[in-house]
Amino acid sequence: MKYRKFGKTGLEVSALGFGCMRFPMQKKGEKNVIDRKRAIGMIRQSIDNGVNYMDTAYPYHDGESEGLLGEALLDGYREKVYIADKCPVWLIKKEEDFDTYLEEQLERLQVEYIDFYLLHGLDRQRMEEIVKKYDLIKHMEKAKAAGKIRHIGFSFHDGLEVFKDIIDYYEGWEFCQIQYNYVDVEYQAGVEGLRYAADKGLGVVIMEPLRGGRLADVAPHLADAFPKEKTPVEWALDFLWDQPEVSLLLSGMSDEKQVADNLKYAAFSSVGMLSEEEREIYPKAKKIFDTMALVRCTRCGYCMPCPSGIDIPGIFAVYNSTAVSGDEKAKKAYAELETKADACVKCLRCEKACPQHIGISTLMAELTETFA
Ligand code: SF4
Ligand code: SF4
């Protein structure tokens, strides 16, 4: 494993972090539940190979992720890693809620403290209407003084100007987490935001390095943009590791092979690993991606459940696949969906939760027409 400086914290983190939001699942009766044995095995497989950053959050896997991680870190594994967890900002309705959630998270994780604690998914509205209103920074500082959290940060989903405002709002930020990859260089915080944060001494954690898998399973003409000696996944990850401002990237790994592959890629990573010629490939690949992109869904699942029973990320995956697999295959996949886009009643619950600010209800109407 390669290790990199984590901003001004003075700590060193592994180039690869384990994102605990896409564990392998299995059927239990009617329900789909985490395959605990495999998930714990994968977490330990990564730690045994040097991964020292575990990222979870209150809502991941419908509240099951933190508990699973806690279980995986028993038997001496806790001491080998940093735990990153996030305050569910949108659930805070009064000041005391901050401590209530933090205590619950410590209990779920079975730990005395959380190494990296983030305000989850900040945007302009959450910043104004929750963080400032309930003085959450003060509560973070109190929790730090009490030894319950060690470092203060935030994760982010909004535009560049908002990102800079949030960074400038508080001098105590030690790190942040942003969505970034070779197609999102000018989206949300983007490359300018990355450099802005790093310049201020923040560690920068990258989420969605593969854009919810869309830079892994790519259309043939996008794959053709890259020389064949590496896979599209490697090219996407190397784009990030090449940059000195990137502290680590998170991968939400779903099977043992992904863990093994990512470990192998991380072992070869370093700042400045790409040649100028290789760096020039990415803008060309982005152009190809942009012409194919229909919906910028990352499959995070925050919009779920839909009261009408629509599998929102699933339906968008089918829609996006029209650009990859051709219309006929996509139409067949759409026809097989149990609940289709026309079931949308425009309640807008999903849109309030979507960190990509996707106009989901409008798209449902478009999709109904497209597949009619
Ligand atoms: S707006 Fe439509 S897709 Fe979104 S939650 Fe409501 S019914 Fe479901
Ligand atoms: S529609 Fe938005 S909230 Fe739902 S899975 Fe896609 S990106 Fe996530």
Side-chain angles (χ1 to χ4, degrees):
M1 180 52 60
K2 295 285 174 58
Y3 296 89
R4 300 166 74 116
K5 293 246 170 301
F6 201 55
K8 58 188 166 193
T9 65
L11 302 175
E12 294 217 323
V13 290
S14 49
L16 175 71
F18 201 117
C20 299
M21 80 295 274
R22 292 192 174 110
F23 289 137
M25 305 295 284
Q26 63 178 6
K27 276 263 176 230
K28 198 171 184 188
E30 284 301 283
K31 278 169 81 184
N32 230 357
V33 298
I34 299 173
D35 186 333
R36 302 186 83 81
K37 196 165 167 233
R38 281 185 65 204
I40 290 170
M42 285 161 51
I43 290 172
R44 292 184 174 183
Q45 175 192 0
S46 76
I47 299 171
D48 291 341
N49 286 282
V51 172
N52 72 359
Y53 193 100
M54 301 284 131
D55 174 80
T56 184
Y58 190 80
Y60 289 173
H61 278 291
D62 290 332
E64 297 291 322
S65 169
E66 291 167 326
L68 187 289
L69 177 60
E71 204 179 323
L73 296 183
L74 296 175
D75 306 327
Y77 280 90
R78 166 66 182 108
E79 290 69 36
K80 298 178 180 174
V81 296
Y82 299 118
I83 297 175
D85 201 353
K86 312 184 188 78
C87 168
V89 174
W90 61 96
L91 296 177
I92 305 278
K93 307 288 180 222
K94 52 186 184 312
E95 285 203 27
E96 306 86 272
D97 289 348
F98 178 90
D99 287 329
T100 309
Y101 284 113
L102 177 56
E103 290 304 329
E104 189 184 345
Q105 290 174 297
L106 290 167
E107 206 168 296
R108 283 178 174 186
L109 285 161
Q110 304 183 54
V111 297
E112 301 287 317
Y113 66 91
I114 291 165
D115 302 274
F116 299 112
Y117 199 57
L118 304 87
L119 295 176
H120 195 167
L122 292 193
D123 56 20
R124 170 84 70 206
Q125 198 181 359
R126 283 185 186 165
M127 194 63 194
E128 294 303 321
E129 294 176 12
I130 303 172
V131 177
K132 291 184 185 173
K133 183 172 172 193
Y134 299 120
D135 218 348
L136 294 191
I137 302 276
K138 180 188 81 191
H139 288 278
M140 295 273 271
E141 287 182 337
K142 272 192 179 168
K144 186 175 172 181
K148 293 184 178 179
I149 63 173
R150 296 220 162 148
H151 300 281
I152 294 176
F154 68 96
S155 65
F156 180 78
H157 288 290
D158 204 331
L160 176 62
E161 290 316 310
V162 179
F163 183 70
K164 288 181 176 173
D165 286 350
I166 292 175
I167 292 214
D168 294 341
Y169 177 74
Y170 176 53
E171 283 196 350
W173 297 125
E174 292 164 276
F175 69 106
C176 62
Q177 182 171 317
I178 60 171
Q179 171 172 328
Y180 185 56
N181 51 62
Y182 71 82
V183 299
D184 283 331
V185 280
E186 285 169 3
Y187 181 64
Q188 296 199 355
V191 63
E192 199 178 327
L194 166 73
R195 289 178 183 160
Y196 193 79
D199 270 357
K200 304 235 167 188
L202 273 71
V204 186
V205 177
I206 304 298
M207 58 181 153
E208 301 295 357
L210 300 174
R211 239 201 170 281
R214 293 194 59 204
L215 303 183
D217 190 13
V218 298
H221 51 302
L222 177 52
D224 285 346
F226 295 105
K228 297 283 175 266
E229 70 258 23
K230 293 195 280 191
T231 63
V233 170
E234 277 178 277
W235 281 108
L237 302 184
D238 290 352
F239 168 80
L240 299 165
W241 281 320
D242 181 50
Q243 301 175 55
E245 299 87 356
V246 168
S247 303
L248 74 107
L249 53 90
L250 292 175
S251 176
M253 294 173 259
S254 311
D255 61 47
E256 295 77 3
K257 183 175 180 315
Q258 269 175 24
V259 179
D261 286 347
N262 284 341
L263 286 168
K264 192 173 67 190
Y265 304 150
F268 287 110
S269 69
S270 67
V271 170
M273 65 189 294
L274 298 175
S275 67
E276 268 318 313
E277 213 179 15
E278 287 171 326
R279 286 184 195 124
E280 280 166 16
I281 298 170
Y282 294 101
K284 292 179 197 149
K286 173 179 160 40
K287 252 192 199 158
I288 298 170
F289 182 89
D290 286 346
T291 57
M292 301 176 349
L294 296 169
V295 185
R296 300 181 75 93
C297 174
T298 61
R299 311 201 71 170
C300 66
Y302 288 162
C303 52
M304 295 292 282
C306 156
S308 300
I310 301 172
D311 172 6
I312 300 170
I315 224 164
F316 285 156
V318 169
Y319 191 35
N320 284 333
S321 74
T322 56
V324 178
S325 62
D327 286 0
E328 283 316 310
K329 227 168 152 190
K331 270 188 184 162
K332 190 165 170 280
Y334 186 77
E336 282 166 7
L337 289 172
E338 213 167 290
T339 310
K340 304 202 168 35
D342 61 356
C344 175
V345 294
K346 297 200 180 302
C347 69
L348 305 186
R349 264 176 56 171
C350 54
E351 293 190 17
K352 286 185 194 121
C354 175
Q356 308 299 327
H357 307 290
I358 294 171
I360 298 172
S361 60
T362 314
L363 278 162
M364 288 300 158
E366 273 178 36
L367 255 120
T368 305
E369 255 182 53
T370 305
F371 287 109

